[in-house]
């Protein structure tokens, strides 16, 4: 439930299954076999947002493969992985949801991660650039050339390599949106400039007659 939390992941098709397996392993290592029973697992902010997220998880809309978490097509999953009383939804990963679905058209602000498989980095860059400008973009690679290539060829409010969210915690970096994700930035010196007005002032010599500006020319 964070403005710079990832709304989707683009992963090369050749490593998609490995990536999803590692995500599932991470969920279990964080919260155990039943995340809703974990004292470390948080809640959705209110019932309205809980229901909004539940609508996003309707398999008739997203048509993707539910790798882990709530599956609306499995009878009994509602009781096991949705808790309306405590406003909790089990961490859910949906692989290759339908383009145009709610999952890929709206900001999520919840424990749902769509995973979209692509053939290569070029296709991933094209995908990002075909959508509204994001507030943040994250790229993971051991190759500095790949990191630079993706950041330089995409447009976003901010970017972070090999991690998520932490770039906005760095007070020496400007933070803000671009295009559809906002305008301007703040933090440190950038915040001072953003919320200050630089007033332009010009002093003209009182003896200056302005010759050349007035007729006759």
């Amino acid at each position: 439930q964070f403005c710079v939390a990832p709304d989707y992941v683009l992963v090369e098709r050749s490593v998609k299954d490995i990536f999803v397996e590692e995500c599932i392993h991470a969920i279990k290592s964080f919260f155990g076999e039943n995340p809703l029973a974990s004292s470390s697992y948080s809640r959705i902010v209110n019932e309205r947002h809980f229901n909004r997220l539940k609508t996003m998880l309707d398999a008739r809309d997203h048509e993707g493969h539910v790798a882990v978490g709530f599956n609306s097509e499995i009878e009994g999953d509602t009781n096991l992985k949705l808790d309306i009383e405590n406003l909790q939804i089990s961490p859910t990963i949906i692989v290759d949801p339908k383009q145009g679905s709610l999952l890929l058209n709206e900001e999520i602000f919840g424990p749902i991660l769509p995973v979209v498989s692509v053939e290569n980095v070029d296709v991933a860059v094209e995908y990002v650039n075909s959508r509204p400008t994001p507030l943040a973009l994250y790229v993971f690679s051991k190759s500095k050339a790949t990191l630079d290539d993706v950041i330089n060829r995409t447009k976003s409010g901010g970017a972070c390599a090999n991690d998520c969210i932490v770039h906005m915690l760095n007070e020496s970096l400007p933070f803000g949106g671009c295009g559809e994700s906002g305008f301007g930035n703040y933090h440190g010196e950038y915040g001072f400039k953003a919320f200050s007005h630089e007033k332009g002032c010009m002093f003209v010599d009182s003896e200056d007659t302005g010759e050349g500006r007035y007729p006759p020319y």
Side-chain angles (χ1 to χ4, degrees):
Q1 298 172 81
F2 207 55
C3 61
V4 289
D7 278 324
Y8 61 88
V9 173
L10 301 177
V11 59
E12 290 194 10
R13 198 178 306 277
S14 60
V15 295
K16 177 190 66 177
D17 292 342
I18 296 174
F19 173 79
V20 172
E21 288 173 7
E22 289 297 326
C23 286
I24 295 172
H25 175 74
I27 291 170
K28 291 180 179 179
S29 67
F30 290 164
F31 307 115
E33 292 292 334
N34 181 9
L36 300 192
S38 170
S39 61
S40 297
Y41 194 59
S42 60
R43 290 163 170 74
I44 308 303
V45 64
N46 56 40
E47 187 173 334
R48 179 170 67 88
H49 282 290
F50 179 94
N51 289 326
R52 179 182 61 83
L53 292 168
K54 183 179 177 182
T55 299
M56 284 185 172
L57 290 171
D58 188 339
R60 293 170 297 180
D61 179 65
H62 66 69
E63 298 181 8
H65 167 64
V66 180
V68 67
F70 174 69
N71 188 336
S72 65
E73 294 186 316
I74 296 180
E75 187 175 351
D77 245 19
T78 299
N79 295 327
L80 293 174
K81 297 172 182 176
L82 294 182
D83 186 345
I84 183 64
E85 183 177 342
N86 290 307
L87 299 177
Q88 289 182 306
I89 297 175
S90 187
T92 301
I93 297 174
I94 299 176
V95 181
D96 289 325
K98 180 179 65 178
Q99 295 299 318
S101 62
L102 291 174
L103 277 177
L104 294 179
N105 268 15
E106 296 186 10
E107 289 186 283
I108 294 177
F109 285 96
I112 306 167
L113 185 65
V115 175
V116 178
S117 54
V118 295
E119 294 303 321
N120 51 50
V121 172
D122 289 334
V123 175
V125 168
E126 290 176 6
Y127 186 92
V128 171
N129 289 335
S130 70
R131 298 166 63 85
T133 305
L135 181 58
L137 178 141
Y138 306 112
V139 52
F140 291 77
S141 176
K142 293 181 179 179
S143 166
K144 180 65 162 54
T146 299
L147 298 176
D148 289 341
D149 179 51
V150 172
I151 291 174
N152 290 334
R153 287 201 288 150
T154 54
K155 187 177 180 181
S156 60
C160 185
N162 295 323
D163 208 335
C164 292
I165 298 175
V166 295
H167 69 292
M168 72 164 295
L169 304 178
N170 188 333
E171 288 292 332
S172 65
L173 289 177
F175 174 73
C178 180
E180 294 91 339
S181 59
F183 61 91
N185 48 50
Y186 70 104
H187 275 182
E189 177 186 0
Y190 304 97
F192 180 83
K193 289 183 176 179
F195 297 107
S196 301
H197 173 66
E198 297 174 323
K199 180 172 67 176
C201 300
M202 178 175 174
F203 292 81
V204 178
D205 190 330
S206 61
E207 301 298 324
D208 186 353
T209 62
E211 186 177 355
R213 287 187 290 161
Y214 307 110
Y217 300 115

